[in-house]
């Protein structure tokens, strides 16, 4: 069930609001090329930067030069690829690294081994780096869901909410998830985390959607596009973020990632596809950015 967020944002009764967000800004030049173009063209509503990655300086410089655009920080605790990896800003002498000195490749290792104090210091360093670069940070979200505690129940939302509340920033956390009504444990977890965000005055969205990360065998661009349009048409009332990973499908990207390069290229194409934006218009979807949630949160603190 949707919250009163849409009402508090001043949207019409029953409004179906959507935030189109591009994750992984700064991961590589292929990501930056795609996301800078999409942001500049108004084809997406926001993006979030992976500050520890090698190409984040380019992304941060762009965001600092375009403070009118909605750019947040994609809080990172994992480094999932085998040939291209990144390390914590706080150094390698912490619980946040694997035997090679990089962030671990999987979320389970983070939940099992990371110390909360190390997590808090690292996430604060990532946000501060973006602020120091001159970015007007609009929101926070999380790479690979490593702070949610989805695998073991051990989450790091306390440090995230502290950081978000301290800086007046909303955080990507859904109040509801597809299928959660049939999962009593998940529904209880969502209610608990939403209540914790509310108690700290941190704005969150009603729901968080995407489409399959990997490309199905033989799947064409047209099938990807049609599936995405079907997703848009299913958006209910309230505020929904849809996150994607648009990138240029080139030699650099295929050298960096182990899979899904073609799907990243398809996502870049579909976000610029007139058929997608026609569907948004036909459905009467209201596109908003994270800045609106940030302004609401900061107004509430005033």
């Amino acid at each position: 069930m949707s919250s009163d967020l849409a009402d508090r944002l001043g949207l019409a009764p029953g409004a179906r609001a959507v935030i189109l967000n591009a994750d992984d800004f700064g991961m590589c030049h292929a990501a930056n090329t795609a996301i800078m173009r999409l942001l500049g063209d108004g084809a997406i509503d926001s993006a979030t930067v992976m500050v520890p990655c090698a190409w984040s300086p380019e992304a941060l410089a762009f965001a600092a030069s375009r403070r009118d655009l909605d750019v947040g920080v994609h809080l990172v605790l994992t480094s999932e690829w085998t040939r291209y990896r990144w390390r914590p800003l706080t150094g390698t002498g912490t619980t946040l690294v694997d035997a090679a000195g990089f962030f671990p490749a999987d979320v389970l290792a983070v939940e099992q081994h990371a110390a909360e104090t190390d997590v808090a210091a690292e996430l604060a360093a990532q946000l501060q780096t973006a602020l120091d670069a001159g970015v007007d940070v609009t929101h926070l979200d999380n790479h690979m869901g490593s702070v949610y505690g989805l695998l073991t129940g051990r989450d790091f939302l306390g440090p995230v909410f502290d950081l978000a509340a301290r800086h007046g920033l909303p955080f990507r956390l859904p109040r509801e998830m597809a299928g959660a009504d049939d999962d009593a444990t998940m529904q209880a977890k969502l209610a608990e985390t939403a209540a914790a965000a509310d108690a700290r005055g941190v704005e969150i969205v009603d729901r968080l959607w995407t489409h399959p990360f990997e490309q199905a065998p033989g799947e064409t661009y047209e099938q990807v596009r049609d599936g995405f349009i079907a997703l848009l048409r299913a958006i209910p009332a309230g505020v929904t973020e849809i996150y994607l990973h648009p990138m240029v499908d080139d030699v650099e990207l295929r050298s960096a990632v182990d899979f899904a390069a073609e799907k990243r290229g398809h996502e870049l194409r579909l976000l610029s596809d007139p058929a997608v934006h026609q569907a948004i218009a036909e459905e009467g979807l209201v596109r908003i950015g994270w800045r609106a949630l940030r302004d609401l949160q900061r107004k509430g603190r005033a």
Side-chain angles (χ1 to χ4, degrees):
M1 180 177 294
S2 300
S3 69
D4 66 345
L5 177 58
D7 293 337
R8 291 187 292 112
L9 287 168
L11 302 178
R16 301 159 63 206
V18 62
I19 304 171
L20 299 178
N21 188 83
D23 286 6
D24 295 3
F25 196 18
M27 190 196 88
C28 56
H29 186 58
N32 292 352
T33 300
I35 293 170
M36 289 187 293
R37 181 195 313 167
L38 292 169
L39 282 170
D41 291 345
I44 56 176
D45 305 305
S46 61
T48 41
V49 181
M50 297 178 71
V51 176
C53 293
W55 278 93
S56 67
E58 180 180 53
L60 293 172
F62 173 82
S65 71
R66 290 295 310 271
R67 290 170 64 89
D68 57 311
L69 300 175
D70 284 23
V71 176
V73 173
H74 199 50
L75 299 170
V76 175
L77 294 172
T78 50
S79 178
E80 67 272 29
W81 308 119
T82 56
R83 298 183 298 273
Y84 168 47
R85 307 195 66 197
W86 41 88
R87 306 176 191 270
L89 300 185
T90 49
T92 57
T94 73
T95 59
L96 303 183
V97 297
D98 61 13
F102 298 102
F103 284 117
D106 60 89
V107 172
L108 181 61
V110 176
E111 293 186 16
Q112 289 179 330
H113 303 299
E116 186 167 299
T117 53
D118 291 342
V119 170
E122 175 62 26
L123 301 186
Q126 292 178 22
L127 173 55
Q128 193 59 52
T129 297
L131 294 170
D132 290 345
V135 180
D136 184 24
V137 176
T138 55
H139 63 295
L140 303 173
D141 59 27
N142 175 226
H143 187 55
M144 294 177 64
S146 57
V147 303
Y148 291 122
L150 296 176
L151 300 181
T152 68
R154 182 173 181 250
D155 65 63
F156 298 100
L157 290 171
V160 172
F161 291 154
D162 287 345
L163 189 65
R166 188 160 65 247
H167 290 272
L169 298 172
F171 174 63
R172 173 200 280 169
L173 178 74
R175 292 186 183 275
E176 60 183 70
M177 292 177 64
D181 288 342
D182 300 324
D183 186 335
T185 301
M186 178 61 73
Q187 191 58 52
K189 179 71 171 177
L190 286 171
E192 176 186 343
T193 55
D198 292 342
R200 298 302 307 275
V202 175
E203 294 290 352
I204 61 175
V205 292
D206 293 317
R207 64 197 65 83
L208 177 64
W209 286 6
T210 189
H211 61 180
F213 185 84
E214 295 186 47
Q215 189 160 344
E219 186 178 32
T220 65
Y221 165 72
E222 289 73 22
Q223 290 171 317
V224 172
R225 180 201 61 202
D226 293 348
F228 186 68
I229 289 175
L231 189 72
L232 291 171
R233 296 194 188 283
I235 291 174
V239 178
T240 303
E241 188 201 66
I242 297 180
Y243 65 93
L244 301 170
H245 305 81
M247 301 181 189
V248 177
D249 181 9
D250 60 8
V251 172
E252 183 215 19
L253 182 62
R254 289 178 178 256
S255 298
V257 303
D258 302 321
F259 54 85
E262 186 176 14
K263 186 67 170 287
R264 305 287 78 78
H266 285 341
E267 291 185 350
L268 169 59
R269 184 177 172 187
L270 72 83
L271 286 167
S272 299
D273 194 318
V276 169
H277 293 277
Q278 180 180 349
I280 291 172
E282 289 175 350
E283 289 296 311
L285 299 176
V286 181
R287 287 180 54 193
I288 64 172
W290 278 97
R291 189 180 305 268
L293 277 72
R294 187 192 69 177
D295 291 348
L296 182 66
Q297 179 170 328
R298 292 181 175 179
K299 181 180 178 181
R301 299 197 320 169

